[in-house]
Amino acid sequence: MPELPEVETIKNELSPAIVGQSFTQVDILDTKLVSGGSPERVRRGLIGQKIERLERRGKYLIFCLSNDRSLIIHLRMTGVLLLNPADIDRYARAVFALSNGQRFVFRDRRRLGVIWLVGDAASVVGKLGPEPLDKRFTAHVLGQRLGRHHIPIKAALLDQSIVAGVGNMYADEALFAARIHPLAKADELSSEEVRALHNRIRKVLRAAIDGKGASVDSYIRPEGELGTAHFSFKVAHRGGEPCPVCGGTVERVVVQNRGTYFCPRCQPLRRKHVRPRGK
DNA sequence: CTTGGGACCTGGCTGC
DNA sequence: TGCAGCCAGGTCCCAA
């Protein structure tokens, strides 16, 4: 499941091979891959264009082209970008060949991924909330944005317009580390809880980038290696296992139709407007 | 306006 | 052994 750390890893590992190269051939094998335009228009729009740089915004990967247009890729659930794979299997949805003889393949078992070719990247990523690893993302900014929503904090973290890039796994990990119950209301967190959550979101994401992403389900890196971030998960996808902090049992509940893992003992549901004693 | 729930998609798992 | 049925979750869309 590519979230911010996985997309960041793909960006970092793909960049050296493709930045500065031009598209020489583009084969879009699945017509449903392209959003808002025909595959043929995308193919013609890409060929001859140079990739000036590769950027990430939230979970979106942005190829900035020499004509100032952008190829934008969202991998959704099972999408991966493979550099020079040995074979093009039945899950390949597009093949991009470059002027240095390399090629990269968009492979996507569940076919939920999407690509765009646009003049204005903001038309695709413009509604995203702040980048959680950006200096400008402060605890104050997080608190302000959460304060506008009377929804479970887990749902708020999954809302890309509140904070960009956090998905199901890292939302659970950040809430566990901040000791906040996933059903606590976003606008009812104390300032201490907001500060803890802000801090833990950033720590969890940075650690996962250091681990080159989490290889649960189908995520693999461009050259085929696995990430290791999932080995550090404390609650995500660990329902029924002992909590590594208190030894209690990690529980699974459904929040916003998403499997949500947490430790009821470490993350008690505080009654609203009741502040913890002490401090 | 906000919030919640279903659709999309298919491999893999469960249970009969 | 075969297979129906369900689950996984990022995002869009629609309804209340």
Side-chain angles (χ1 to χ4, degrees), chain A residues 17 43 104 209 262:
Chain A
R43 197 184 71 81
F104 64 95
I209 292 171
F262 73 109

Side-chain angles (χ1 to χ4, degrees), chain A residues 83-200:
Chain A
L83 190 61
N84 304 317
D87 62 285
I88 309 288
D89 67 11
R90 68 194 185 97
Y91 300 114
R93 302 183 68 198
V95 181
F96 303 88
L98 301 171
S99 44
N100 59 357
Q102 311 223 54
R103 63 182 183 176
F104 64 95
V105 173
F106 188 125
R107 183 177 185 274
D108 185 11
R109 253 188 6 210
R110 280 167 61 189
R111 300 173 63 212
L112 290 165
V114 183
I115 73 173
W116 297 258
L117 180 60
V118 292
D120 179 17
S123 65
V124 178
V125 300
K127 297 222 169 97
L128 292 175
E131 281 296 320
L133 297 180
D134 192 287
K135 278 199 297 281
R136 289 165 292 184
F137 179 69
T138 60
H140 178 68
V141 167
L142 177 63
Q144 273 192 331
R145 302 182 78 85
L146 293 179
R148 296 200 282 263
H149 298 273
H150 191 66
I151 58 176
I153 184 62
K154 171 69 185 281
L157 292 179
L158 295 179
D159 184 335
Q160 302 297 296
S161 71
I162 297 176
V163 185
V166 177
N168 203 42
M169 302 180 298
Y170 298 112
D172 284 355
E173 288 299 307
L175 287 171
F176 173 78
R179 304 177 66 87
I180 296 171
H181 193 289
L183 290 175
K185 291 291 193 283
D187 59 352
E188 292 174 359
L189 298 186
S190 69
S191 53
E192 290 85 358
E193 287 173 322
V194 170
R195 273 203 298 277
L197 184 56
H198 168 263
N199 179 263
R200 296 305 177 157

Side-chain angles (χ1 to χ4, degrees), chain A residues 21 33 38-39 44 47 56 67 95 145 155 168 205 256 278:
Chain A
Q21 304 304 315
L33 178 62
S38 73
R44 282 201 306 264
I47 289 177
R56 180 193 56 73
N67 62 358
V95 181
R145 302 182 78 85
N168 203 42
L205 293 176
Q256 201 178 267

Side-chain angles (χ1 to χ4, degrees), chain A residues 204-243:
Chain A
V204 161
L205 293 176
R206 282 204 203 93
I209 292 171
D210 288 345
K212 314 289 184 195
S215 282
V216 301
D217 204 351
S218 55
Y219 166 74
I220 54 174
R221 291 152 56 193
E223 306 207 36
E225 303 126 304
L226 299 177
T228 61
H230 52 296
F231 294 126
S232 305
F233 284 172
K234 300 210 163 43
V235 291
H237 298 124
R238 294 193 184 279
E241 295 180 31
C243 167

